[in-house]
Structure formats: C-alpha cells, structure tokens
Amino acid sequence: MAVTSGRASVSLPIPPVPCPFPSEINPHVEEVERESFTWLCDSGMLPDAETVEQYRRARFGHLAARTYPRVDREMLRLVADWCMWLFAFDDGFCESARLSRHPGLVVRELPELLRVIDDLRPPEHLRSPYARALAEVKERVAAHSRPDQLDRWCTATREYMFAQVWEAANREADIVPSVEDYVFMRRRTGAMPPVIALIDIAGRFHVTREHWLHPQVRELAQLCNDLVVWDNDVFSYAKERRHDHARHNLVNVLMAHRGLTEQEALAEFLDMHNRAVARMVELDAEVRVWAPPEVRAFVRGLEHWVSGHIAYALGSSRYQQD
C-alpha cells in the first residue's frame, strides 16, 4: 500500500501522519475548482475581497477532488460546492465574532436553515445567503439520491448545525470540554457525517439501510470521521491557538484535561491516529468477506477521505500560519 505522510507548517514539530490508503485526485479538478469558486463568490457568503482571496488560495475544490477522486464531473461539482458551503458557513457563521460566543444568537439564526433542510418546499424568499446556497445544494442532492439517502444527508446536516450551539456555549463560558465530550461532539461539529452521506450519492450507487446500519460499516464510518477531524485539529492547531485559544482542538483538550505538554499531546494524538488506522485496515479485510460491491465502494470512499484530507491539508494555505 502507498503511505502518505508529512508535516504541517506550525509552530511546533508535527509528527508524520501515516496513512496506508492510496492517495488519488479526480481528473476534473481544475475546471471544477474554477466553477465551484465562481459559484461561491456569486453566493454572497463571502463578506469581502480579503476573504475571497483567502478562499481562492485555499483551493477547496482540491479537497473535494482528493476525497472523491473517482466520481464523475457532475458529482465532483456537487461535492465541491458542498465543501465550499461548509467552509463558508464555518467561517462566517460558526466562527464569526458576532455569533461564535453567543449560543442564543446561533439558535435564533437556525430556523431559516432548518426550514431548508426539513421542509418539503423551503420558503421562496430566504434572507440568509447561507440558506439560499443550502437550498440550491439540497435540491441538487435530492435530484441524485433516493429518499433514504437524502434523509441521511439531511439528518447529518441538521446535527452539524445543532452542534454549533454546543461550541458557542463553551466559548461563552470559556470552557474546554472534557476529552470524552470533545471526541463525541467533534464527530458532529466537524461536518464529516454530511460528507460521508454523499459518498454513495456522488458515486451513483446505493448503500441500503441494512448495510448502512451494519455494525462494521458504522464503525468504519466513525473511524473515518475521527481520523479526519483529529488530523484536522493537529494541522490547524497553530492558527486555532491564536484565534480561539484552541478551545475546540484535540491537542489543547488533551493538554487541559490530562496535564500533557504540547509534545506529549501530539504523541497521544499519533497513538490515537495509528490505532484508528489499524482498526480501519482490520475492518476493511473483514467487510470484504461478505460485502456486496456497493459496500466495498463505500468503504473505499471512507479511505479516500482519510488519505485525501491529509494530502490536501499538508499543501493548503488554510492550515499554514499567516
């Protein structure tokens, strides 16, 4: 197997992040990157020219191309737009100075977004640019999914939104969550379930409810979720330490609640990462014994997310220090 490893440009040495899953990139990456970035700029979600330039340099379309390397051009455009929406929403809504430390304000902003997710026919006039862009993405997801697939995506997106209230409450009270609470909630705040729910939709196959709920498949999805958000925390630690005191970051959580130094916390992260990767490899072999082609394709999609996120993050301006 190919091994991907590297170091992020932060203020403390980052251990190599090993990954046994092959790293690929979608051949439609450049044209989809341009189209999706144009869509984002036209959406009204980016507040000023400085933010536009930051997003241009971040090249989020490359994240989609590395994490969905085998989908066709139309589906790559859909997942790229969705990744753009998630980053814009995270920066402009979840991390904004106006909302990020005020859970009450976050809650009051949610109804319009939830109407888009929950109503069969969202309102014709939406005030928020995030709601308008979300409505467009949902319409496209619905056009390419079966009812159970759309329901999974909607449920995951809804949970992601509500999890932002938990983060805002922690910021308001200046609380660093416990390791157990953080690991549990990071699976929701990190927006991985909504992108995992797009793996079979974008791949134009169908994981049945029975297979989606299979214990081994569920564990693989959770391991993928954990690996991506933990790795993300390490890559983004330096920036988050400056902007949010790294309150919601695995490195800082381990330091705060286990009395570890930065280097010890990084070593603990690496142990967690390696154990999760080893378990994914073990489960992959077990699932291949019984799984139909669509389940094997879904598991491959999970592995693409782990390797693709590492490859993207190590080269992205978003995770480098200013």
Side-chain angles (χ1 to χ4, degrees):
M1 290 184 178
V3 176
T4 302
S5 64
R7 296 177 184 274
S9 176
V10 296
S11 62
L12 70 162
I14 299 297
V17 182
C19 178
F21 310 125
S23 179
E24 305 176 25
I25 191 164
N26 195 292
H28 304 293
V29 56
E30 295 301 335
E31 60 265 38
V32 168
E33 167 72 38
R34 290 191 297 270
E35 292 174 4
S36 192
F37 180 66
T38 299
W39 173 84
L40 176 65
C41 292
D42 292 343
S43 71
M45 291 187 289
L46 303 185
D48 50 48
E50 180 181 357
T51 306
V52 169
E53 176 59 19
Q54 290 172 354
Y55 274 65
R56 185 193 64 79
R57 289 189 289 109
R59 293 165 65 85
F60 292 126
H62 282 66
L63 174 62
R66 287 194 174 277
T67 52
Y68 303 87
R70 300 185 184 182
V71 304
D72 62 48
R73 190 186 188 285
E74 182 182 19
M75 290 295 98
L76 181 63
R77 173 63 197 280
L78 172 59
V79 296
D81 288 359
W82 181 229
C83 287
M84 296 273 190
W85 188 92
L86 287 168
F87 279 112
F89 182 75
D90 183 68
D91 289 342
F93 185 90
C94 309
E95 303 292 337
S96 73
R98 183 175 72 89
L99 298 175
S100 64
R101 289 171 172 78
H102 304 287
L105 293 179
V106 173
V107 171
R108 287 195 286 275
E109 291 287 335
L110 287 179
E112 192 169 59
L113 294 165
L114 293 175
R115 287 192 183 98
V116 171
I117 291 297
D118 290 337
D119 288 359
L120 295 177
R121 293 184 178 179
E124 292 185 6
H125 302 290
L126 295 166
R127 173 184 52 82
S128 165
Y130 303 108
R132 291 193 296 270
L134 179 62
E136 181 187 333
V137 171
K138 181 190 174 184
E139 182 178 2
R140 291 156 62 193
V141 172
H144 294 286
S145 59
R146 300 189 185 191
D148 60 317
Q149 291 175 306
L150 177 61
D151 183 66
R152 286 197 292 255
W153 180 80
C154 289
T155 298
T157 302
R158 188 186 310 112
E159 287 192 359
Y160 162 69
M161 292 176 182
F162 278 117
Q164 307 314 312
V165 181
W166 175 77
E167 282 200 344
N170 289 338
R171 293 189 186 98
E172 182 182 52
D174 197 21
I175 289 173
V176 176
S178 70
V179 176
E180 293 75 17
D181 284 353
Y182 180 75
V183 168
F184 177 80
M185 290 300 294
R186 189 71 172 106
R187 293 169 184 156
R188 292 149 181 84
T189 63
M192 279 303 295
V195 298
I196 288 173
L198 281 180
I199 289 174
D200 61 337
I201 297 171
R204 299 189 188 274
F205 60 92
H206 179 226
V207 176
T208 66
R209 176 177 171 81
E210 177 186 5
H211 287 141
W212 183 269
L213 296 177
H214 190 284
Q216 290 178 323
V217 175
R218 290 187 65 188
E219 186 178 357
L220 278 163
Q222 181 171 292
L223 288 164
C224 168
N225 188 338
D226 286 343
L227 281 164
V228 172
V229 298
W230 296 346
D231 293 351
N232 181 272
D233 280 0
V234 170
F235 295 139
S236 61
Y237 171 67
K239 278 193 170 184
E240 292 185 5
R241 183 175 55 184
R242 295 200 313 274
H243 300 307
D244 189 35
H245 307 293
R247 184 180 288 102
H248 296 107
N249 186 289
L250 179 63
V251 176
N252 188 58
V253 170
L254 290 170
M255 290 168 60
H257 290 282
R258 295 187 178 169
L260 304 180
T261 65
E262 284 184 339
Q263 289 297 335
E264 290 169 340
L266 285 172
E268 176 67 15
F269 147 76
L270 188 60
D271 183 60
M272 294 168 65
H273 171 97
N274 288 341
R275 282 188 278 114
V277 166
R279 180 57 178 158
M280 278 195 77
V281 172
E282 179 183 19
L283 280 170
D284 186 326
E286 294 176 4
V287 167
R288 288 178 184 274
V289 173
W290 61 263
E294 60 271 16
V295 173
R296 295 198 297 271
F298 177 72
V299 173
R300 185 169 62 244
L302 295 172
E303 294 168 352
H304 283 149
W305 251 104
V306 176
S307 62
H309 173 262
I310 292 172
Y312 169 77
L314 289 173
S316 172
S317 64
R318 186 174 177 87
Y319 302 108
Q320 297 171 5
Q321 283 187 280
D322 297 329

